[in-house]
Structure formats: C-alpha cells, structure tokens
C-alpha cells in the first residue's frame, strides 16, 4: 500500500515537472490521445511510476470518465457468480477499467443502480436481474448496461449475455433418460420474471414430452433459502413414488439434495440421480462428483465486460450473445453399468 | 425498478413542492437534523415515497456524506466472505448506509482503495488485508476504516475486528489429540504479513508442544490455487509417514483434502481426520461432515459495520474487537468409538 502512505497527493503537475514535459503532454498520455510519441509516453510513464501517481477518479469524472464499472449480483453465496466475476476481471485486466460490485435483491436493485449511476460509474453489468424489459431500458438510457442471465431478445437498449437455457433443460433430461432414469423431477427456483428459469423449465418439459414421459413431469419451485431447499428435498425423497432423478436449477441446490439423500440412506446414483447446473468448482470434488451443465460463467463474464466497454466507447446498436451449454457427466448420474 | 423508469429525476424541490414545505425543511428531514418535528418528518416522508425520490449521491457528497461504504475482499470464492458480507449487510439494513464491494489482491488493493476514496465513500471495510500497519494508518487518516481479519493491536488509526486465531489453532489440536490423532499436520496459507495465519500457526505449534508432540509439528504452506492445494494434499497423503490428521487453514482447502483423500481410497476419519476453519455452509453437508472452527463471519461483519459507522459519525479513538472461536465437531474427525 505504498501509494496510500504518502501524505500529499501526487498531481499531474508533479508528473509533468518530473518528466520535464507540459501538463497537456501528461494529460494526453493519460487519456491515450492520438499522436503521442512512444518516447513521450515512456518518459511520462517512468515519472508516473516513480512518483506513484494515481489519477483521481473525481477529476477523471469531470473529463467524462471514471473508468469504473459497477457489477450487481443477486447474492454472493452462489459459487457460479465467482466464475462470472473471474471472467469480468480478466476482461478488464487488459483495459484501464476496474470494477466494483454490489449485492442487491430484486427489491433493492433500483436503489443500488441509482447509487452506482450517482457515483458516476461508466457502465453497469447486472447479473441475474429479474427487472422488466421496460425498467432495464430506462437504466440503459442512462448508462451503458450489459445484462447477464436474463433473456430479453427484443430489448434495444441493453446488451445481453446468456446461456441457451432451453438447451440446458433438454441436455439434462436426454442424459438422464439415456442412463435409464424415468421419474425425473426438476427442483427449480421460485422467482418472478426469471426468464432463465422459465427457459430451463421449458427445455425440461419439452424433452420429457419428447421422451414420452409427460406423465412424470413435475416441477417444484423453492426459494434460495437453505432451509426451504432442505424441506423440499426431504419431501421429494420421502414420497411413496420417489423420483429416481432430481434436476436442480443450480449446483448449490444439488449439493444440498445429495446431502439430504445420503443422510436418508439413499445411494447416489443407484437409488437416485442428482444433476446440477453451472458446473461450479464443487462439482469436481470427489465427495460430490456432481453431473452438471456447464454454461461457462467465466465466458459469460468476459463477453459482458467486452460488450460493455464497446458500448461505453461508442457502439450504439445493442448486441445479444448466446453461449451453448454442454453437460459434464459425473458419478452422481452415471449408473454402474455405464461407468467405464 | 419503478424508480429508474421515470425519465425525469425527482429533486428535493419537487418533494418540497408536493409536501408544501420549504427546501430547507426537506433538507433537514433528509439529514436527520436536530429539531425536526414528527409532523414535518411524516409529511416529507409521504411525499418522498409518493414521488419516488432518491437522494443523489453526488449531491449528498457535497453536503459531506454519500452514505456508501466500500468493502474490499481478497477474493469472492471463499464462502466465508459471504458470511462476513451477510453480517455487514444486516448491520447496514437498519441505517441509511449501503455498501459496495470490491475484490482486490495484495497488489491491486491500493488502487482500489484509492478509487473508493475518490468515489467519496464515507468509509472502508478491508477484509483479510495483508497491508502493513503503516500503510493502513495512511488509509485510516483519509477515511474511517475498519479491518476484519488482520491483527494490529497497536494501531491507533483503524478499528479492527478479529477472531482469536491463536485459540483456533489450540482448539483444533486439543480436539484431535483427544480423538487419538498424533501426526497432525497443518495445511496453511502461503502469504506475506498474514497475521491471522501466523497466529493460527502459533496456536497449532504451542498446543502440539503442550501435548508432547513437538516431533510431529509440520506446517505446509500453499497458495489459494486449487491446483496447488491438490498437489500439496496428494503429496502429504502419499508420504510413507502419512499424517493421521490434517488441519486446514480454511474450509475450502479442507473440502479439497477430503476429495483427494477419498479419491485415494482413504477412509475419513479412520485413516485420516480432516479439520477446516470458518464453519462455512458446506461443513454441514452430509457428504462433507467437516469439523471446523466457528469464528462467526456474520458477527465479524456486523461488528465491523457497527464500528465503522460510529467512526464515520464522530468517534475518534479506535477500537479493537475480538471474537472467541469454538470448535464444531463433525464426522470428519470423530473416530467411530467416540461417536454416540
């Protein structure tokens, strides 16, 4: 923290003096202006480094940019969001931008969005928002905005980056049917205007129909509370007509289902298969060995950051990016005979 | 996102007009000034609600406060940080303050701190920082600052909130010795100036000595990379003189050790015990059943937020808060004979 330990703030003037160039020359280098010679850039950068100069965000804001983007997540518990943030960070690493994060639920998101706009952030990335298309348009008109995990194909004011969630639902059912499972229940999220969940459920339903399993279709929606997930999992498992497979909308829920099933003495995958979604870091742990759908959180984050910066720097037409998911099969859904 | 969908921003003047009071009266209510009558407050609040007024952060900053605090975490992967954030959020819920988060490693922390200061945040909470006492003093002189997870008993410029990490190390060794384990290795974090880790190791060492196990003391330090943790765990497990217990500095590492041990065909806890730290949400999952030390992340976050707001609102003398840890024993370290 060497820079913070200086009492007096280093200014552009100090840099100019040290580099023996004009204030305007330093300013040009700082904003990457056209026509700056390599020699000048090097000279200024040496002084910047030597003096420990950091551009003042407020001062940059007056020139129209703060080079800070705000990222809003619905919570910090889901390990999938760490993957998304890793993608955003690695995209920003190569630029002048840095990011700050905020955590907001549906009801507190508007206030946090407004605070980030007030703080003069250059753009916003909203992850897993459930805001309406109209509300997002209003945000997009104020600030360049990219949305991850919310299907808005008709929106013209924000960029979107999504997984093809209908394919996700289809892939899971297809895999489970191939493994001989039939009574496949989906443990889904109780949410309003959650287009990701709607599509994932639609994929599940249509693939079940395609496999002639209409009669077995069952979607149970629960909140994100661990307690409610536990109760729902226990209820499913202790039914007389117990499902032989549970497809969970996100890995964290699937890990809890594994826990409840094992605690009830069930064998996974012989008695019951468990499949998750997002292929987060925990799936690979031997004690979980959780089959999951990979939608590449890192890729989603990377693309959103790339699109956002393009928008900040002038692109006016919005873009929609779609990732194609793939299923990663592990022990939790592979019946003994099919394991090599 | 109703508020964002308004095209024109609602101002204090609009509120004053609607409530039929003066601009100054609204301003007084907003900053909770002394001498505001309940009747006036109610009248203004009704208009604020009706019009959907949100105070502009920049405008508030000119009056000296933005009511935003910045929280910096070293990463977003460790589930322990979600517990800390939950505590911070629940403390702030009862106040006018909201928080934004930033993720920074040791090398990028100074720049993020500076950006948050530039964004006029009212205060900072630094979680798991490894900055020197001198550097933190400089930050603390610029902004009210609370530090979680860094022992700086002599600092006079920042508040600190910590677990008693020496006790943590002692508790783990004591428990493992009681369960009959002797070859107890500590899998620790490779870090510079990490006072939490130093104390946890010191507790481990002194309790091992106290139990007459000096000869078995072994501390292996690895980075936070999953790959390196895997390699270190495999190396420990395949040694001729395999340890009979591994104490991991954080739960995430312990979950990986369980994975590696099980994949190598070892039985936990008969062949090897595994203990974590932080008692995060994953410990309770049946497939992990991980013994861990609870330092109450939520409590740490809550206290830090409380102390920070006191500082923002005028307290000048700094305070240091210490949480006493407790061990939560689960299957991963309970030998069969001692399980009820």
């Amino acid at each position: 923290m060497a820079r913070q330990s200086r009492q007096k703030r280093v200014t552009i003037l100090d840099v100019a003096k040290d580099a023996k160039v004009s204030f305007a020359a330093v300013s040009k280098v700082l904003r990457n202006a056209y026509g700056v010679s390599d020699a000048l850039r090097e000279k200024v950068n040496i002084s910047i480094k030597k003096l420990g100069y950091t551009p003042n965000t407020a001062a940059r804001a007056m020139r129209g940019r703060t080079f800070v983007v705000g990222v809003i997540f619905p919570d910090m518990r889901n390990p999938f969001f760490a993957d998304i943030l890793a993608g955003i960070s690695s995209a920003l690493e190569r630029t002048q931008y840095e990011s700050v994060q905020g955590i907001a639920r549906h009801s507190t998101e508007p206030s946090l969005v407004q605070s980030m706009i007030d703080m003069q952030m250059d753009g916003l990335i909203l992850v897993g928002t459930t805001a309406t298309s109209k509300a997002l348009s209003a945000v997009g008109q104020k600030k360049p905005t990219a949305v991850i995990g919310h299907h808005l194909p008709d929106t013209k004011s924000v960029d979107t980056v999504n997984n093809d969630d209908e394919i996700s639902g289809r892939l899971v059912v297809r895999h489970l049917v191939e493994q001989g499972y039939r009574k496949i229940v989906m443990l889904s999220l109780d949410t309003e205007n959650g287009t990701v969940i709607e599509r994932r459920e639609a994929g599940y339903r249509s693939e079940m129909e395609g496999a002639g399993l209409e009669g077995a279709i069952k979607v149970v929606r629960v909140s994100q509370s661990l307690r409610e997930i536990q109760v729902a999992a226990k209820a499913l498992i202790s039914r007389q007509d117990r499902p032989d497979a549970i497809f969970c909308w996100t890995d964290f829920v699937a890990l809890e289902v594994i826990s409840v099933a094992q605690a009830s003495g069930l064998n996974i995958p012989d008695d019951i298969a468990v499949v998750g979604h997002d292929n987060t870091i925990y799936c690979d742990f031997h004690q979980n060995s959780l089959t999951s759908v990979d939608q590449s959180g890192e890729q989603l984050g990377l693309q959103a950051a790339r699109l956002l910066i393009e928008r900040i720097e002038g692109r006016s037409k919005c873009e929609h990016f779609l990732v194609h998911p793939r299923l990663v099969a592990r022990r939790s859904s592979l019946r003994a005979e099919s394991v090599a």
Side-chain angles (χ1 to χ4, degrees), chain A residues 180-205:
Chain A
Y181 298 100
R182 294 292 175 269
K183 293 194 278 179
I184 305 165
V185 168
M186 179 168 177
L187 197 46
S188 188
L189 177 67
D190 192 12
T191 175
E192 251 180 74
N193 202 29
T195 56
V196 161
I197 289 298
E198 282 162 14
R199 294 198 177 195
R200 228 171 265 174
E201 288 179 0
Y204 158 82
R205 284 177 198 277

Side-chain angles (χ1 to χ4, degrees), chain A residues 55-121:
Chain A
N56 179 291
T57 312
R60 287 186 298 186
M62 292 196 199
R63 298 197 308 272
R65 292 268 176 91
T66 55
F67 294 102
V68 178
V69 301
V71 185
I72 299 182
F73 292 99
D75 75 82
M76 203 172 146
R77 287 234 181 259
N78 196 321
F80 176 52
F81 297 140
D83 293 341
I84 290 179
L85 188 63
I88 293 172
S89 301
S90 78
L92 295 185
E93 242 171 42
R94 297 169 232 152
T95 72
Q96 301 175 268
Y97 293 85
E98 57 189 354
S99 73
V100 300
Q101 288 75 47
I103 312 291
R105 280 154 216 273
H106 185 74
S107 63
T108 54
E109 193 180 78
S111 145
L112 186 57
V113 163
Q114 190 58 54
S115 292
M116 286 186 164
I117 290 174
D118 289 344
M119 281 187 265
Q120 316 276 335
M121 298 197 184

Side-chain angles (χ1 to χ4, degrees), chain A residues 8-22:
Chain A
K8 193 180 157 293
R9 183 159 193 110
V10 178
T11 67
I12 296 190
L13 266 177
D14 298 325
V15 174
K17 217 165 149 183
D18 185 82
K20 299 193 174 67
V21 300
S22 69

